[in-house]
Amino acid sequence: MNFDADLLARLQFAFTIAFHIIFPSFTIGLASFLAVLEGLWLTTRRPVFRNLYLFWVKVFALSFGMGVVSGVVMSYEIGTNWAEFAKASAPVIGPLLAFEVLTAFFLEASFLGVMLFGWRRVGPGLHFLATLLVAVGTLVSAFWIISANSWMQHPTGFVELADGSLRATDWMAVIFSPTFASRFVHMSLAAYLTTALAVGAASAWALLKDDDQPESRMALRMAIGMFAIVAPLQLLAGHESGKMVLEHQPLKTAAIEAYWRTGPDQPQSLVGLPDRDAGKTHLEVAVPGVGNLIQGVPKDRVLQGLDAFPRADWPVVGLVYWSFRLMVGLGLAMIALGGWGAWLMARKRLDQSVWFLRAAVAMGPAGFVAVIAGWIVAEVGRQPWTIYGVLRTADSASPVGAGQVSASLLAFMVIYAIVFSAGAVYILRLIDKGPEPGPEPLPSGDGRAPGTALAAVPPEPEA
Amino acid sequence: MTLDLPLIWAGLIAVAVLLYVLLDGFDLGVGILFPFAKSPKDRDAMMNSIAPVWDGNETWLVLGGGGLFAAFPLAYGVLAPALYLPLILMLLALILRGVAFEFRLHGRQRGKAFWTAAFAGGSLLATVAQGLVLGGFIQGVVVRDGRFAGQPFDWLTPYSLLVAAGLVAGYALLGACWLVWKTEDELHGDARRWAWISGAATAGLLAAVSVATLIVHPRVAARWGFEGGHFSQNLLPFLPIPILGAAGLLIVAEGLRRREHGMPYAGAALVFLSGYLGLAVGFFPYIVPYAVDFRMAANADNALALMLVGVGVMLPLILGYTAWVYWLFRGKVWGDAGYH
């Protein structure tokens, strides 16, 4: 294995997973949103919820399809590009990934069919159940994958045998490793926020064109509710996650905050250009004396800087530093958007505030960007390890040459570019059209009660 | 009593792969037959017949890959690099055809034409890639110190190309029989014709692959009792396998002749079962032919045991709701079955 193939394999994994993570982080939230909409429709019978459901389910179907096919890639890429990692980690996290397939993937895939195509074949209760099961499936899937990833970030509950192979000794400690809980909460909230921002932007876009649309007005209010509650919660969850990083991966914290030197009373760097070779941050704007406070530790506690670790083990400091700032900056903007929206709602001036609607449109992609930035912080920040402190990235790769890896990377880039741009066009086209006011509930007499989920769909043709 | 966990898991993975082949096989086959449809309306009906179930079908492939990782990591870590290029080709092709289900409905004229082609081309390419993976697998893989030690194109031989051609014919047969079952009118008639043609091709190529395997791979030939140009009585215990395949083909033919709707698919499934068993007896107990057997490749016993508990609970549920979904979407497909 040479350096080039290594780096290419990392680029390929980073590219395919960054592409993949966009869709789950959208569909996790969207599935729950759809479940809420269908539940509200079934209980209140207000057509606005049915029309919203029928609109967003189309966006969901498009995104879910892209998530599925880019996810199948991941289950084989671990073998094609990271065979040594696969062999080393399987005794411990193999079951976690197997459980993800068994408890989540089949559930989502099977009931998605019912959710999309079962309108005329099941009753409203069963259809609602299918939507709920798909929503549960997306969260169960996130549970297992974050569990496996958290174990890689801070492995516990295993021993290393004399021959170097790993054995699980305590499955609960493997599944619920110390960083898992905070990271799972952080990721799930991120998914909900991402969806709320996209739904908010789509609704604001529709209202900017025509403010008399009950569907978009309702969806915008639901989205603002999510920003206003979830965005501040996410700040707390992120902080908890950060405390875990400080405790278990001090090197990552040092890279995030550009602590070059070990010591008490660290400064809080705001912006600057970290220079890994020079070991300093150029053009830095920093607030002295508050770094420890923001980490949630006493001022006199010594925090390790990058100098406490061999230089060869340093991650790409600038990338980690800036990804973190991008994520936090967007998070703060989400909190502000939520506060602004809630204030406008309280004063009943929401639909007239063109500037708020424009801001909501502009923030539409913020969730996706923040998720990818956060992922870079987590994954680039723990380099050069795949299993932290146990297996190095350089020892994880497959015995395949740079030629194969670069050819496949190129092919992935071409195919993903086509799929992503087409998918984005179709989704944006749908959003531009907006939710349609549905038909009035069918009169009773055709065997179905008016106002059920089924009444949304024309009767089936004679067989 | 102690359970033979590696053996149980070898059986489970084998069943997962067989279910994948039987289920995704027909929806890939529908894609392979896509270019032969006479009208856009027929293509829509073909797609609608598989749209509710294809995602679940493909999940068996994820279980195959993920299960191999989790149950036989050494095999996963050797086979995936050895079959690198065909596996990546398969993944890319599956992406193109997978998104086509939704994208076709949203594309306008040119977009729709593109995704129609992507669905057909992707289905064909994914099948060819799976055939190359299968052929490369049967040929055997060079292993040193628990790692793949061969060349990037070891899998590319006339033999693996023959296997790929056989798999294309076989999936087309499954797809055609599925359409015979699920469609009506003219499309149903076309599907019956496609089933005849692909059935004949499958029979010929299955025979060719069988002969080639005996000639090219002496180890497999020895297992079948074929040495020195003639069969010995070692063949006898395995004789039911080719008989099963022949019976399957006859059932397909008889079902088509009698204008039965479900019978041809059952026959085609038997043909696949026979081919699958025929290959399996050739290389058992190897999981990386002919270097690593399934016991050497097995994961730690405590991991296999934990997963067996999970499978014991989840697999009956999965099979149950999968069967329920198929039952829910039973009967002939409607032209407009979607939610759009």
Side-chain angles (χ1 to χ4, degrees), chain A residues 12 54 57-58 61-62 64-66 68-70 72-81 83-87 89-99 101-122 126 166-169 171 175 395 397-400 404-409 411-412 415-416 418-420 422-424 426 429-430 457 460-461 463, chain B residues 9 48 51-67 69-70 73-74 76-78 80-85 87-88 90-92 94-99 102-108 111-112 114-115 145-149 151-152 155 184 299-304 306-311 314-315 318 321-322 324-325 327-334 336-340:
Chain A
Q12 177 166 323
L54 288 174
V57 79
K58 292 179 196 169
L62 275 165
F64 199 89
M66 288 194 272
V68 167
V69 292
S70 59
V72 177
V73 171
M74 309 317 306
S75 71
Y76 283 84
E77 213 174 22
I78 293 174
T80 52
N81 290 349
E84 298 307 310
F85 163 78
K87 286 189 275 182
S89 67
V92 186
I93 57 169
L96 276 52
L97 297 183
F99 286 160
V101 183
L102 291 169
T103 57
F105 290 167
F106 278 108
L107 191 72
E108 296 173 69
S110 299
F111 286 96
L112 179 76
V114 180
M115 188 176 157
L116 298 184
F117 302 99
W119 285 104
R120 296 170 192 143
R121 304 224 177 204
V122 294
L126 208 47
L166 309 182
R167 282 289 175 285
T169 51
W171 289 112
I175 296 169
D395 301 325
S398 295
V400 291
Q404 292 186 80
V405 185
S406 51
S408 58
L409 174 59
F412 273 117
I415 300 289
Y416 280 18
I418 295 171
V419 168
F420 187 84
Y426 297 147
R429 233 187 240 167
L430 272 175
V457 195
E460 79 184 58
Chain B
W9 271 100
N48 284 340
V53 292
W54 77 272
D55 194 353
N57 295 345
E58 204 166 296
T59 307
W60 293 97
L61 182 68
V62 181
L63 185 63
F69 164 66
L74 180 59
Y76 179 74
V78 170
L83 302 164
Y84 189 95
L85 292 172
L87 279 175
I88 300 280
M90 172 187 85
L91 295 170
L92 291 168
L94 288 176
I95 289 172
L96 280 178
R97 81 178 284 276
V99 297
E102 282 297 318
F103 285 12
R104 253 185 104 246
L105 300 168
H106 293 279
R108 294 171 190 162
K112 183 160 183 166
F114 179 83
W115 294 113
D145 301 328
R147 285 159 178 250
F148 169 61
Q151 296 302 311
W155 48 270
E184 315 171 278
N299 203 346
D301 266 1
N302 66 340
L304 293 181
L306 177 70
M307 291 192 296
L308 192 60
V309 175
V311 164
M314 294 310 301
L315 199 60
I318 291 168
Y321 63 63
T322 302
W324 176 73
V325 169
W327 181 80
L328 187 67
F329 291 100
R330 69 196 176 281
K332 299 292 181 186
V333 70
W334 308 321
D336 167 34
Y339 55 98
H340 292 90

Side-chain angles (χ1 to χ4, degrees), chain A residues 31-32 34-36 38-39 53 107 111 115 125-139:
Chain A
S32 296
L34 287 168
V36 169
E38 190 166 11
Y53 183 99
L107 191 72
F111 286 96
M115 188 176 157
L126 208 47
H127 192 272
F128 180 47
L129 181 69
T131 308
L132 271 180
L133 287 173
V134 171
V136 169
T138 61
L139 284 168

